[in-house]
Amino acid sequence: MAVLVVGSIALDSLETPFGKRDDVPGGSATFFSTAASFFAPVQLVGVVGEDFPQEHVDFLKSRGVDLAGLTRAPGKTFRWKGRYGFDLNEAHTLDTQLNVFGEFRPELPASFRNPDLLFLGNIHPELQGLVLDQVEKRPRLVAMDTMNFWIAGSREALLKTLARVDMLFVNDAEARQLAGEHNVIKAARAIQAMGPARVVIKRGEYGVMLFDGEHVFAAPAWPLEEVFDPTGAGDSFAGGFMGYVSQRGDLSLRTLRQACVAGTAIASFCVEKFSLDRFRELDQQQIAARLAAFKALTHFDEIA
Ligand code: AMP
């Protein structure tokens, strides 16, 4: 069963303490769909400009992503420029150019109108809402992501979309900003009251917390010595999470807790190299080995 994603497709320019890259493939839909493709079929809705290199489209195709919802529009591709200091948990946005996203009105092809799971990736919240309007029957799970850019700049539209979804993926600083709460637990509870029964708070190298109704689950991040470029970790986490849920086919707590670990494992690969580079060489054996190592990492026996 397919996961449908709408989100940004970007050319990113990045500076990390380990190097610089210009105009590399990025964007929420790009990272999400690549990560999810390791677990389940993915359908992508998005737009690129005339300048978006065909090789990046071909890469998504090679991952089996269904690109019937990808439009190439006149103009330039969405661009994001970011810098990370020694604290790799915090991205500093230097520039955001919406370009073709300024005019984009997503239109779902007929084959995309009945997704099992829907992920409204980080993009203008009105565009997220437009995609939700076009699905014919309510997907089993509608999840969304967002970021400070939209929380600060398009709050009303964001709250409207948020009220229509089942689950929000958000990082800790953004959860605080959205909820107006310092404490992340209180922030998650406040966000649940805005609509989504489930909230995942992404805490970078400190892991994730899943709030599902009253239930709370926490997973650490995989302890990597070499974090090269954190860009895309959040979207890769969400892709691994939703892809795993799609593969399992149920929304039990057991599955959602496992999905947190599947997302964590995929995100840990993403950050080992710039852009999508680590995903180009990733295979199922490497994923299985990391999942097994993760189980060992977090296991403990009953305490007497
Ligand atoms: P993350 O997974 O949170 O690290 O997201 C990284 C991706 O978000 C980058 O590849 C950017 O292209 C994309 N991005 C940055 N700002 C925005 C924005 N305002 N709207 C949509 N996508 C964005």
Side-chain angles (χ1 to χ4, degrees), residues 8 10 12 26-28 31 78 80 96 122-123 147 149-150 230-235:
S8 56
D12 287 343
S28 53
F31 283 110
F78 173 84
W80 180 71
T96 301
N122 179 24
I123 194 181
M147 71 180 289
F149 188 84
W150 308 115
T231 310
D235 299 307

Side-chain angles (χ1 to χ4, degrees), residues 222 224 226-229 267-274 278 290:
W222 176 247
L224 272 180
E226 305 276 332
V227 176
F228 216 73
D229 170 17
S268 73
F269 288 112
C270 176
V271 302
E272 287 178 355
K273 293 203 168 166
F274 273 107
R278 184 64 179 89
R290 189 151 296 176

Side-chain angles (χ1 to χ4, degrees), residues 11 47-54 71-77 100:
L11 290 172
V47 63
V48 296
E50 289 153 326
D51 56 350
F52 194 72
Q54 183 60 31
T71 309
R72 197 182 272 279
K76 283 172 124 190
T77 300
V100 289

Side-chain angles (χ1 to χ4, degrees), residues 252-275:
S252 64
L253 267 178
R254 174 189 162 91
T255 294
L256 298 186
R257 290 166 73 114
Q258 289 170 331
C260 284
V261 176
T264 296
I266 289 288
S268 73
F269 288 112
C270 176
V271 302
E272 287 178 355
K273 293 203 168 166
F274 273 107
S275 182

Side-chain angles (χ1 to χ4, degrees), residues 267-302:
S268 73
F269 288 112
C270 176
V271 302
E272 287 178 355
K273 293 203 168 166
F274 273 107
S275 182
L276 297 171
D277 287 351
R278 184 64 179 89
F279 287 143
R280 297 178 198 279
E281 60 200 32
L282 184 61
D283 61 33
Q284 295 294 344
Q285 282 83 355
Q286 292 171 356
I287 296 171
R290 189 151 296 176
L291 287 171
F294 201 89
K295 190 161 185 342
L297 171 78
T298 53
H299 174 82
F300 60 88
D301 292 319
E302 204 163 318

